[in-house]
Amino acid sequence: MRQLLLALALLAGPAAAQSPREARIQRSIDLREQWQWLTRDIAFPAEWDEDGRRFHYRKTVAGGFAFVDMDAKTRRKRAAFDAAALARALGRLLGTPVDPLRLPFEHFAFVDNRSAIVAMIDYAPIRCTLAVPRCEKVVDRSRPRGFGVVRDLKMPARNDPHRSPDGRLEALVLDDNLVVRAAGGGRELWHSQDGSAADFYDPESIEWAPDGRHLALYRVRPGYRRVVTRVVAAPPGRVQPEVVEQLYPKPGDAVDQERPVIFDTGSGRRIHVAEALFPNPWRLSDLKWRKDGRSLAFGYMRRGFGAAKVIAVDADTGAAHAAISEDSNTFVFDERRFLHDVGGEGRELIWASERSGWRHLYLIDGATGKATPITTGQWVVRDIVHVDDTKRRIWFSASGVTPGEDPYHKHWFRVDFDGTNLVRLTQGDETHDASFSPDARLFVDVHSRTDRPEIAELRDGETGRVIATLEQGDATALAAAGFRPPQTFVAKGRDGVTDIWGLVVRPRDFDPARRYPVIENIYAGPHDSFVPKGFWPFGGFSGGDKAMGMQQIADLGFIVVMIDGMGTANRSKAFHDVAWKHLDDSGFPDRILWMKALAAKDPSLDLGRVGIYGGSAGGQSTLNALLFHPEFYKAGVAFAGCFDNRMDKIDWNEQWLGWPVDKSYLDASGVVHADKLEGKLLLVVGEQDSNVDPASTLQVVDALIRANKDFELLVIPNGEHSAGRSSGPVSYAQRRQYDFFLRTLGGMPAGD
């Protein structure tokens, strides 16, 4: 028997032994689990109760996280809930064990007088009672919309009766027509007669005027119901494949056409609203009545994103005028629109605009449209969190205010409507994530930098004075384990003037005498900036998980960089406009110059061996690096890329490439330009990607095959959009990524 066991051991030995490369990969894979629980008291942004009395936040503790609840008046802290009991309840709902120190959510809200919480888990809302923990999925009864612009007419609309302000009447939609009747399902007073399935009244948009004399809602001509069909090839626990469908409008598709309609509630008379001021709408915002009930307003974005307005309508006549008009030769940034109606009267409006070349706040005369600047300067207003109409004061964040400081660091301010009394509430060369109480009298400030752990403080909302230190982040054990913060590096962009900011991560065993291949972690989506600015390196609000993943790759024997090139957000309008109709640009001229400037100062960078990786829009940029800049980028791993913008979601792509679909979509297409591929490419896609149609990847595969180009492909059955890139346990795809870069670019010390 002993001889048999020895023989088996000898046979198994060579197969079981890891090669130096495999061992190196495994060490990188293990790094996250070894490091991510070593910090203490790293706090995340707080969330306030509606009454402003209490707030809660998450922080790191031994082995995971804890949620802390605090009384803002007494400063008394306690656990937000019984984490062990909640974990058991979640485990029963999810069908898998849940660790109370690693609950599967970062944020939650107290509801029902703090007797329950609601949190998002896997993109779905979950409600859990606390006294006797029990969890259930929250069912959204509203009609789904594909990316907000096409209603799913196969699903019923939420059609609860809308009570009039005095409670005597109610309005709802029956057989596509508006019906007004006595409350409680009583006698019908009147109903519209022109609604149809092809031109229906939307019950989810009904709004009564405050005085009850009128009501308004949208009438809708349906857009095109495009459906993406996916095959679940290996459904868990089953043998036969399944088919799933998703409402998924794409660029150029017809969107729902909404038009506001006003009715006199006493007579049922329809008041016509002329549509000349809002032609070809992309989307109209919710109808909002002014306080006196004499008029209403709504936001309008023209399709193509070149013009936005705030339209005010007289309730008695239907006469409309543009209270605000915003036009651009490129795009109006839809996600960053901000409007506040001072006093709810329509006489004065607070509006955010980039008309000066920088995003700033303006006080708008609601009758004439005259705009008076509230903030000015070559810096950017970021978040507007509170407007006090009585004090005529605004609380907001901004970046780029202090010359010489990282222009992406957020600081917090307050200012009066007339632009005077600008008070800076936070200081220091750090980034600040603040959470304000509903009345802005207090705020929780979590501030840090890539080389400084988070500090959480309760502050005075008028002066910024520190009232109490809530948490002092401690990364001592993490540093002792070998963690070193990434290096910040700045170089000039393509214009020779503009500063381009990025990060550098080196191997823990870095030897300045060696030459290292360089790998860029890219995400160049124009909707934000992406290089981490906060400390915590394992995910969360600072975006630091990117830095952790970069360290894992660096330890394989690479220098890894991440850069915010031109075309991304949070700088000037001109900086941002570089992306307009040029998603193929991805800031590459700036990125390449940045890496060359770094190499000029650090000869350990080998720019003859440069790789790149990214997911989603970063996946598209990765492929385009190999297609359009093969003289610089030699290998790339593209996860879940939107490789042809005609195949991707309608909203994101029309925002940056416009409408109608034109040559700019072709210029950025990895399918159209697949024959230009040089270098080495690994494509990774999740079979069930609900964000980017996975057919986009397969169409690139088809084009590469037809062009006789060699590449590698990994399809992950049941994988979603984050397949291979999740911040949880490192996946099979990440192991393949590490191996790919080692095979194509080298890396690893010579002795390994």
Side-chain angles (χ1 to χ4, degrees), residues 445-468:
D445 177 28
V446 180
H447 56 95
S448 70
R449 205 168 65 183
T450 53
D451 59 349
R452 296 180 188 169
E454 282 76 4
I455 298 175
E457 297 164 332
L458 182 64
R459 294 182 177 231
D460 182 276
E462 289 290 325
T463 66
R465 176 180 61 88
V466 176
I467 297 171

Side-chain angles (χ1 to χ4, degrees), residues 41-45 405-406 408-412 426-434 445-457 459 471-475 485 488 531-537 539-544:
D41 301 324
I42 297 285
F44 291 72
E405 185 179 339
D406 187 325
Y408 297 95
H409 282 174
K410 281 204 292 189
H411 285 281
W412 294 84
T426 58
Q427 306 293 331
D429 187 7
E430 297 177 298
T431 195
H432 295 253
D433 278 272
D445 177 28
V446 180
H447 56 95
S448 70
R449 205 168 65 183
T450 53
D451 59 349
R452 296 180 188 169
E454 282 76 4
I455 298 175
E457 297 164 332
R459 294 182 177 231
E471 305 291 346
Q472 177 85 46
D474 183 355
T488 297
V531 174
K533 300 300 172 183
F535 174 80
W536 201 64
F541 74 97
S542 68

Side-chain angles (χ1 to χ4, degrees), residues 432-630:
H432 295 253
D433 278 272
S435 307
F436 283 75
S437 62
D439 59 6
R441 292 178 59 192
L442 300 169
F443 69 99
V444 176
D445 177 28
V446 180
H447 56 95
S448 70
R449 205 168 65 183
T450 53
D451 59 349
R452 296 180 188 169
E454 282 76 4
I455 298 175
E457 297 164 332
L458 182 64
R459 294 182 177 231
D460 182 276
E462 289 290 325
T463 66
R465 176 180 61 88
V466 176
I467 297 171
T469 298
L470 307 177
E471 305 291 346
Q472 177 85 46
D474 183 355
T476 305
L478 183 62
F483 172 76
R484 298 293 180 268
Q487 172 199 352
T488 297
F489 186 74
V490 184
K492 298 301 180 184
R494 68 188 76 182
D495 59 4
V497 177
T498 304
D499 285 338
I500 303 298
W501 288 69
L503 291 180
V504 187
V505 178
R506 293 179 173 83
R508 285 178 289 161
D509 57 1
F510 175 70
D511 179 356
R514 282 193 60 213
R515 296 268 287 167
Y516 291 86
V518 181
I519 296 178
E520 180 181 0
N521 173 11
I522 190 168
Y523 195 93
H527 56 281
D528 211 337
S529 54
F530 305 97
V531 174
K533 300 300 172 183
F535 174 80
W536 201 64
F538 306 106
F541 74 97
S542 68
D545 191 55
K546 300 165 187 169
M548 181 63 229
M550 291 164 67
Q551 185 66 66
Q552 290 174 286
I553 294 175
D555 280 356
L556 296 172
F558 300 101
I559 291 175
V560 187
V561 301
M562 189 173 189
I563 309 154
D564 279 320
M566 289 187 184
T568 50
N570 302 322
R571 299 285 289 274
S572 69
K573 175 65 170 163
F575 190 102
H576 202 187
D577 277 347
V578 169
W580 175 243
K581 289 191 174 296
H582 287 288
L583 289 184
D584 52 313
D585 182 280
S586 293
F588 283 126
D590 313 301
R591 298 168 187 278
I592 292 170
L593 286 172
W594 187 96
M595 282 184 265
K596 288 181 177 179
L598 179 64
K601 293 189 174 185
D602 183 352
S604 67
L605 275 75
D606 182 355
L607 294 190
R609 294 183 291 164
V610 178
I612 187 169
Y613 70 96
S616 197
Q620 179 180 22
S621 295
T622 295
L623 176 59
N624 285 348
L626 302 179
L627 300 180
F628 303 132
H629 300 277

Side-chain angles (χ1 to χ4, degrees), residues 153-176:
L153 300 184
K154 287 194 172 182
M155 301 291 288
R158 189 173 189 170
N159 197 17
D160 301 325
H162 293 249
R163 288 283 181 102
S164 61
D166 62 9
R168 295 188 306 108
L169 304 177
E170 63 186 23
L172 71 164
V173 170
L174 298 175
D175 296 326
D176 299 313

Side-chain angles (χ1 to χ4, degrees), residues 183-204:
R187 181 179 63 86
E188 180 182 305
L189 276 67
W190 55 267
H191 68 271
S192 65
Q193 299 183 3
D194 54 351
S196 68
D199 198 2
F200 61 87
Y201 290 93
D202 180 13
E204 297 182 347

Side-chain angles (χ1 to χ4, degrees), residues 68-134:
V68 179
D69 188 46
M70 184 166 182
D71 187 304
K73 185 175 181 180
T74 67
R75 316 284 191 266
R76 184 174 300 164
K77 293 182 185 179
R78 64 181 183 184
F81 43 69
D82 183 336
L86 186 66
R88 290 192 293 271
L90 280 170
R92 289 191 291 270
L93 176 69
L94 302 175
T96 184
V98 174
D99 187 334
L101 290 177
R102 304 178 192 183
L103 296 172
F105 56 86
E106 295 183 8
H107 310 279
F108 72 88
F110 283 110
V111 295
D112 299 335
N113 197 28
R114 290 184 143 241
S115 66
I117 65 169
V118 173
M120 297 294 292
I121 300 177
D122 292 333
Y123 307 103
I126 303 293
R127 181 182 183 275
C128 298
T129 57
L130 296 178
V132 180
R134 180 177 177 275

